Amino acid sequence: MTRALALLARLTAQGLLSLAETDAALAAASTAGDPGGAQARRRWALADAVAECDRARRHAAWALRERLAPLLAARAPRAALERAAADPSGLLLPHETKGLLERQVARALRQWG
Amino acid sequence: MELWSQWDAARAPPALSAVPAALPDATRIPPREWLYGTRLVRRFVSVLAAPGGVGKSVLALGQAVSLASGRPLLGERVHHSVPVWVFDLEDPLEEMHRRLAAFLRLHLVPDDAVAGRLFLHSGRTRRLSLAALGPDGAIVRPDQESLTAAALAAGVGLIVVDPFIKSHTLDENSNPHMDAAATAWAEVAERTGAAVLLVHHVRKLGPNGIADVESARGAKALTDAARSASLLSAMTLEEAERLGVAPGERWRHVRLDDAKANLAPRAEIALWYRLESVGLGNATALYPAGDQVAAVASWKPASPFGTLPPADCNQALDAIAAGPGEGQFYSALRGGFGGNERWAGRVLLRFGLDEAQAARVLAAWLRSGLLVEREYRDPVHRKTRRGVTVVDAKRPTVAAEHGTQDDNGT
């Protein structure tokens, strides 16, 4: 269940599932009724896991920006920037890293006038 | 033009050129706007660091009240009294009120001395977030705008943040993160023209149990970004013995050292404070004793010369200069050859001092150069020994008979 929760949390934090969908999935997985409060506890655990995953994703994005900063300052070629923009943790989706790289490049271009 | 085409076109960097500096007339440069001693200055960030439980919150509050009331309550000069905004991000507002009431009671400051000039904010009422990570990893400053506007509206000249760690949600062990958090506060200082005092925990103590700036918890970027850093530490066993403080009272005494002073020379001598317990007189039927709350007051170690006037000092120095025998000198150390009989402190016992006081007087004289240790040839035992001689030029003067005594007893 822990692995399933972690996966659900990651998918939710990545925006691939909504909280309503994960809630529904949890409700479907539970037995009739919830006498021991297990389902409620799972919901809390999921909410915590989503918050933690969201924090880790923010840190991954920040680390990515930090990796790109010196390359942008050195006006590195596009291929080097794209290589550095890969997220080894897998928390950021490819379209997110691509978007972040392009925003940083556009920002650098604006700064240079 | 497509983004990457623009990038490729912009990759050739512009040429660098040296621009001559336009140095203004030194007499026309405005002086630094010190507010409190050489610790707090407008438009800069200062850090007060200490291990937990030493009393940094009560000291920071004491400095805040000193500035708000315009009174040098803790022994440091108030250059300019300003309204102060204190953010206690750990405790409820009631606890801030208790501490403030205790400090005002201890120093006999009437409430109206700070009325309208001291603003209190508890993090329990509303959290403060000066720096946090945004969704795309960029560092955002959620409360910077509103805090700056409110500080400007109230004319605040000092902002106290206790503790700094609660004012952001960045990674404390990351230098870039801590630099960003400190920069967020530096920007507030710059835009409001106020001094900012960040109260920070020290994770571990340095050698001999004394905290140093390197032991500030988390990344060093914070102390690097500050223009002034002070370290508050508890009195050590050795200091208590040297300064004549009873072991049971040691915990009450704390020392403040300059850990870093970018804008002013470092103070040579640490400042001492004593934590007093102040009764608030707020007894109720349920709590008949009421509250005893800590408040800070400046403290000076008792002078070792307290019972030794300059005339007696000179008599003692004459006896030390004469030595225990012809061609022999007294020793600066107890024990060794001749035991305590040859210890120079023995001479001082004749003047009513006890051994600990005599040791402190000797140490002060050696430190000031009034006594100098040197080797000599003992004519009786025909051996080379070490003994103390008196430097007459540094003796206490007659004029000092009516003045205060320093390390020489003058």
Side-chain angles (χ1 to χ4, degrees):
Chain A
M1 193 62 196
T2 310
R3 288 179 61 188
L5 261 181
L7 179 61
L8 278 175
R10 185 163 64 81
L11 293 173
T12 309
Q14 287 173 333
L16 299 174
L17 280 178
S18 70
L19 260 178
E21 286 171 318
T22 49
D23 260 355
L26 279 176
S30 65
T31 53
D34 188 21
Q39 188 183 336
R41 282 201 299 279
R42 274 199 294 272
R43 277 188 177 164
W44 282 112
L46 178 69
D48 286 349
V50 170
E52 174 60 24
C53 194
D54 190 49
R55 192 195 62 77
R57 277 166 49 79
R58 287 172 191 234
H59 274 270
W62 175 82
L64 178 54
R65 291 163 64 106
E66 289 295 298
R67 276 204 304 280
L68 290 175
L71 295 173
L72 290 167
R75 306 186 188 217
R78 175 181 180 175
L81 291 173
E82 286 178 337
R83 270 199 305 278
D87 175 29
S89 68
L91 289 167
L92 301 175
L93 297 169
H95 76 272
E96 291 176 316
T97 56
K98 183 169 177 283
L100 199 150
L101 170 61
E102 289 178 354
R103 281 198 298 280
Q104 294 302 98
V105 168
R107 188 163 164 247
L109 286 171
R110 275 201 306 278
Q111 281 176 349
W112 298 340
Chain B
M1 202 191 303
E2 194 258 329
L3 180 72
W4 290 110
S5 308
Q6 286 183 46
W7 178 254
D8 289 336
R11 283 190 54 213
L16 290 172
S17 62
V19 180
L23 192 64
D25 178 3
T27 60
R28 299 175 71 89
I29 301 173
R32 292 177 183 131
E33 296 176 273
W34 293 106
L35 292 177
Y36 185 78
T38 51
R39 298 189 194 283
L40 302 173
V41 58
R42 280 187 186 275
R43 296 167 54 206
F44 287 98
V45 170
S46 302
V47 169
L48 170 63
V54 170
K56 57 186 176 300
S57 293
V58 290
L59 178 62
L61 184 66
Q63 293 181 348
V65 173
S66 298
L67 263 185
S69 65
R71 302 170 187 213
L73 302 170
L74 296 177
E76 288 197 87
R77 184 175 174 189
V78 175
H79 298 271
H80 190 70
S81 175
V82 290
V84 180
W85 197 355
V86 180
F87 288 87
D88 186 330
L89 303 177
E90 284 183 331
D91 299 313
L93 194 59
E94 273 182 359
E95 193 55 37
M96 296 178 79
H97 287 156
R98 286 185 196 108
R99 285 184 192 150
L100 177 60
F103 187 81
L104 295 178
R105 272 197 163 205
L106 179 65
H107 293 276
L108 304 175
V109 179
D111 291 356
D112 58 7
V114 293
R117 296 179 63 74
L118 187 64
F119 305 92
L120 303 179
H121 177 103
S122 164
R124 299 271 187 106
T125 313
R126 182 199 183 282
R127 286 187 181 182
L128 183 70
S129 178
L130 247 273
L133 279 182
D136 67 344
I139 290 170
V140 293
R141 292 154 185 189
D143 285 332
Q144 196 184 46
E145 285 299 324
S146 62
L147 185 137
T148 302
L152 283 170
V156 166
L158 169 67
I159 298 172
V160 178
V161 186
D162 181 13
F164 165 66
I165 184 180
K166 295 270 186 186
S167 71
H168 66 85
T169 53
L170 300 179
D171 181 0
E172 207 184 9
N173 293 312
S174 158
N175 270 317
H177 276 202
M178 292 295 275
D179 184 48
T183 302
W185 279 112
E187 286 173 3
V188 170
E190 178 61 39
R191 288 166 62 189
T192 59
V196 170
L197 175 62
L198 303 178
V199 180
H200 195 48
H201 291 292
V202 169
R203 182 175 49 190
K204 55 186 181 292
L205 300 180
N208 304 322
I210 298 169
D212 61 35
V213 74
E214 304 298 332
S215 57
R217 194 168 87 175
K220 194 166 167 293
L222 170 63
T223 43
D224 285 348
R227 286 294 163 268
S228 152
S230 308
L231 274 162
L232 191 68
S233 44
M235 181 180 276
T236 63
L237 278 169
E238 187 184 58
E239 285 169 336
E241 192 174 330
R242 182 162 53 83
L243 300 176
V245 174
E249 289 284 292
R250 181 170 68 94
W251 66 272
R252 288 183 182 275
H253 299 80
V254 292
R255 62 179 285 167
L256 188 67
D257 293 272
D258 282 351
K260 172 185 176 180
N262 272 9
L263 299 181
R266 276 186 195 190
E268 289 292 325
I269 301 168
L271 287 177
W272 284 99
Y273 299 100
R274 187 177 148 90
L275 300 173
E276 304 286 0
S277 297
V278 180
L280 295 189
N282 56 348
T284 63
L286 195 58
Y287 299 103
D291 283 321
Q292 292 285 321
V293 181
V296 69
S298 62
W299 179 80
K300 279 187 178 175
S303 167
F305 303 97
T307 56
L308 198 65
D312 285 358
C313 282
N314 276 319
Q315 281 186 32
L317 288 165
D318 288 342
I320 290 173
E326 185 65 31
Q328 293 177 312
F329 295 96
Y330 282 107
S331 165
L333 302 172
R334 277 178 271 200
F337 172 75
N340 278 359
E341 291 302 314
R342 284 179 177 262
W343 179 47
R346 294 280 296 180
V347 175
L348 293 165
L349 302 185
R350 297 178 214 155
F351 294 87
L353 273 59
D354 60 30
E355 284 209 10
Q357 286 172 322
R360 286 167 58 203
V361 168
L362 271 190
W365 281 346
L366 285 164
R367 207 166 45 238
S368 69
L370 174 54
L371 291 183
V372 176
E373 245 191 315
R374 68 176 180 87
E375 287 188 343
Y376 70 99
R377 186 76 182 166
D378 187 328
V380 179
H381 300 94
R382 296 179 187 173
K383 283 189 176 173
T384 302
R385 302 197 187 283
R386 290 183 70 78
V388 291
T389 56
V390 178
V391 177
D392 288 327
K394 295 196 172 185
R395 275 177 179 260
T397 58
V398 176
E401 288 275 6
H402 305 292
T404 54
Q405 289 173 277
D406 62 12
D407 266 3
N408 291 355
T410 56

